[in-house]
Amino acid sequence: MTRNYDELTGPLNRAVFFRPTRERVRDFLSPHANPVVRIDGHDYPVFDISMNGMAVLAPSNAPLEPGVELDLELRLYDKPVFDGRARVARVGTGGRRVQVGLALTSGFIDLPALARRDEEERMQRELSMGPDPYSDLVPERYRQALSRVVLFVQYQRQALFRHEARYREMGGEEGRRGIEALQQAALERLRAPWTELRLAACAATAEFMEDRARVQAAKQLTEMVLTPLLLDAPCIRRSYEKPLGYPGDYQVMLYCYDQALEGDSVFGRVFHRLWLEHPLPSGVRTRRDLVVDLAIDQHRRLIADSHGTPDLRITSLGCGPAREVPTFIERRPHWPGSVTWTLIDQDEEALSVAYQTAQRATVRSSSDTRLRCLNMSFTQLAQAPGNLPLAANQHFVFSSGLFDYLREPGASELLAVLYDGLAPGGLVAVGNAVGPNEDYWSPGFVLDWTLIYRTRDEMLRLASRLPADAEVQVRLEPGQAYWYLLARKPGRVG
């Protein structure tokens, strides 16, 4: 439907200021591009880049002070691709290396041209070098473990396609039952050897995980010889291809929640399901149950402490499809007062799915449920957590899938922002994949899905910026794949 200009409200607050697209170099350029900025003879790795500037990683004692103008040269494949002047816009804090923001004061960086340059250099490198770098860099133990996985998948792929074709030719009810029986038998018989093989592959990476070059070569080899064989499985394909630009999008989360046998072939459906039985996807469901338990407990506390009509306020940061909302309503269909959910995500599609799912659940409930959906870039949030549009006096704030991607300084700062938004007695809960673990190979090496795994002590360190009277604890969700850091503000909830 056509709308008048006065109906086009546009963005609000800081969003009205246009910012050129900023690209993370690990997502934008190939691994061997090795983008660096050369300043006074020193090379600084580029973290992200836009047409009017970039962020580089520098030692904390580097001579880069805010406000200083300097000459710089951007280099790819050890070749200059841009030179100009820039101003040091910001310098991060904490750690031996910090992010330094550089704003160009002359010229601009043509990102499409940069991407084309990268692809041309990559083509020349691949044509001249062939697969030899894999032989040189990837340890023999890992190559053997990977070969066993590839042989297993190739064998089962051919067998399942052959038998499925036989049943399809048979047709009718007998053929349909044959396909269903084949599918069930394959699941039962492949589950144990598949688990054993992926654990062995993960164990084989232990000896070189501190060697960045070997890790990168092993990942590239895995994606070249194994990943294409598994793309018939919908969850694997979407996780690897990342159509929305990042892994773990709302559709991947829906796959994890639904646990259905999806795919166009028996092989695809079987490996789709086997992938969803991995501890991390399985933990998506069990961590939801923990979050709903916490929300219900907060609701009961509020009702017990409230002197008037209780209004429970819950915020989900990185909500995805927000399955916590319908699960909460299913388990607690009637309540006094109201429950207001604020759902925040970087993806409008995710918010649309979350809103529709939650709205259907609220219609089935006779209680008062209110929904607010906010769209916000997580990249900008990571750079400036204080910009989070978090309404004050929240009773429960949780984030289940965002902190896995945040370095410790940014994660600690964001946690402090979430805590500040709590009402007295309010609770913040942030989840993070457990580390160390035996399961990082599947997402990290097969799907190019990098997570930050944290130990219990590392989770506790995230609370370093919270007030001394914050009640802090760390607990595992029931599936034991994710930690949850819980921080409660002192006081009564009501």
Side-chain angles (χ1 to χ4, degrees), residues 403-430:
F403 279 68
D404 304 283
Y405 305 98
L406 300 179
R407 298 293 177 186
E408 188 169 312
S412 296
E413 185 177 353
L414 178 57
L415 178 62
V417 170
L418 299 181
Y419 182 87
D420 287 344
L422 294 176
L427 179 70
V428 59
V430 297

Side-chain angles (χ1 to χ4, degrees), residues 138-139 141-153 193-209 214-230 236 239-240 271 274-275 278-281 433-434 436-451 453:
V138 180
R141 182 187 173 196
Y142 181 74
R143 280 188 278 133
Q144 290 180 358
L146 179 60
S147 295
R148 288 193 290 271
V149 180
V150 170
L151 179 60
F152 174 81
V153 173
W194 169 251
T195 300
E196 180 182 343
L197 285 167
R198 69 169 179 79
L199 290 175
C202 190
T205 68
E207 65 185 71
F208 61 86
M209 284 303 292
R214 291 185 185 277
V215 168
Q216 193 60 52
K219 286 185 175 184
Q220 289 180 322
L221 180 61
T222 306
E223 291 177 42
M224 181 173 66
V225 301
L226 175 60
T227 304
L229 300 175
L230 295 167
I236 295 175
S239 299
Y240 181 68
F271 274 84
L274 290 176
W275 205 266
H278 182 281
L280 290 172
V434 169
N437 64 60
E438 302 175 314
D439 305 304
Y440 61 80
W441 175 78
S442 299
F445 283 74
V446 182
L447 299 182
D448 188 28
W449 185 345
T450 302
L451 299 170
Y453 300 93

